[in-house]
Amino acid sequence: MADYPPTVRDLLAALRELPSIGPRSAERLVLYLLEEADGTKDRLARTLQAVGTRVHPCTRCGFYAEEEICELCRDPTRDPLLWCLVASPGDVLRIERASAFRGVYHVLGRKLSPLEGVGPEQLPTSSLLTRIERELPREIILALGTDAEGEATALYLGQLLKKTGPRISSLATGLPAGGGLEFADSVTLSYALAGRREL
């Protein structure tokens, strides 16, 4: 029985590792790339290489950056004393699309998840605490989602961060129960930011 050459099989396997890409989707993408002649394949290869070598976490907040500090942290119109603590860089983009927040961010990188072996010891809080001590924020909004992991992480961090000095608040209700920020539309996120409550 005929099969693809080894290099094509490797590409199929790599594509299947991406979220939402199953065997058929991967095969459709590979067939398109093998047959296209408009330069998409070359542009995709160059762009993936550039992303792999040039994009890294911002040394200040953890969002995506090509320089040492990301564009959001360098923006002089933002309030550097108002922080939004999120679980992932994708959450930064979700909040930014709501156009309701003009402070800065801190990307925690993970949430508490006992089933995955992530307890309080595994949370990367040392960089957060060091940054708080250095920059002395006025308020930190915990925007970690309303799923069980997000709520548990917010509860734990709320207790930990209250000792550091800034006001600690969380997003208001209106976010879907049991879900992360990726399931909230920009209007709902905007209302949740405006109606945040102190912990």
Side-chain angles (χ1 to χ4, degrees), residues 51-122:
V51 166
T53 57
R54 296 196 335 229
V55 178
H56 55 82
C58 170
T59 57
R60 182 177 180 202
C61 74
F63 184 58
Y64 302 122
E66 288 192 28
E67 298 178 24
E68 184 178 348
I69 303 292
C70 72
E71 292 179 19
L72 295 172
C73 287
R74 292 194 318 262
D75 184 346
T77 66
R78 291 186 169 270
D79 182 350
L81 301 181
L82 177 62
W83 293 11
C84 188
L85 180 65
V86 296
S88 73
D91 293 336
V92 171
L93 296 172
R94 290 177 192 96
I95 291 174
E96 281 298 295
R97 289 180 186 133
S99 301
F101 181 72
R102 294 300 302 163
V104 295
Y105 295 90
H106 188 90
V107 178
L108 190 60
R110 59 186 358 182
K111 297 187 271 189
L112 290 173
S113 180
L115 294 176
E116 295 176 14
V118 180
E121 315 79 41
Q122 285 76 39

Side-chain angles (χ1 to χ4, degrees), residues 33-60:
L33 291 171
L34 289 172
E35 296 169 11
E36 71 86 29
D38 297 328
T40 302
K41 181 175 23 191
D42 295 331
R43 196 165 47 256
L44 180 62
R46 282 193 310 274
T47 306
L48 284 172
Q49 180 67 33
V51 166
T53 57
R54 296 196 335 229
V55 178
H56 55 82
C58 170
T59 57
R60 182 177 180 202

Side-chain angles (χ1 to χ4, degrees), residues 117-140:
V118 180
E121 315 79 41
Q122 285 76 39
L123 279 183
T125 55
S126 61
S127 62
L128 172 62
L129 295 171
T130 301
R131 185 177 173 205
I132 290 171
E133 190 176 298
R134 184 178 62 242
E135 298 180 29
L136 302 173
R138 173 181 70 252
E139 179 181 359
I140 300 174

Side-chain angles (χ1 to χ4, degrees), residues 3 10 12 17 20 22 25-26 30 32 72 74 102 129-130 133 136 149-153 159-160 167 175 178-179 189:
D3 199 357
D10 289 346
L12 283 166
E17 292 177 17
S20 302
S25 296
V30 166
Y32 171 79
L72 295 172
R74 292 194 318 262
R102 294 300 302 163
L129 295 171
T130 301
E133 190 176 298
L136 302 173
E149 291 86 0
E151 292 286 346
T153 306
Q159 300 299 319
L160 178 70
R167 176 180 182 224
L175 290 175
L189 267 176

Side-chain angles (χ1 to χ4, degrees), residues 160-192:
L160 178 70
L161 298 179
K162 275 185 181 178
K163 303 169 189 168
T164 64
R167 176 180 182 224
I168 307 299
S169 58
S170 65
L171 296 180
T173 58
L175 290 175
L181 294 181
E182 65 269 21
F183 302 112
D185 60 272
S186 59
V187 174
T188 303
L189 267 176
S190 179
Y191 287 139

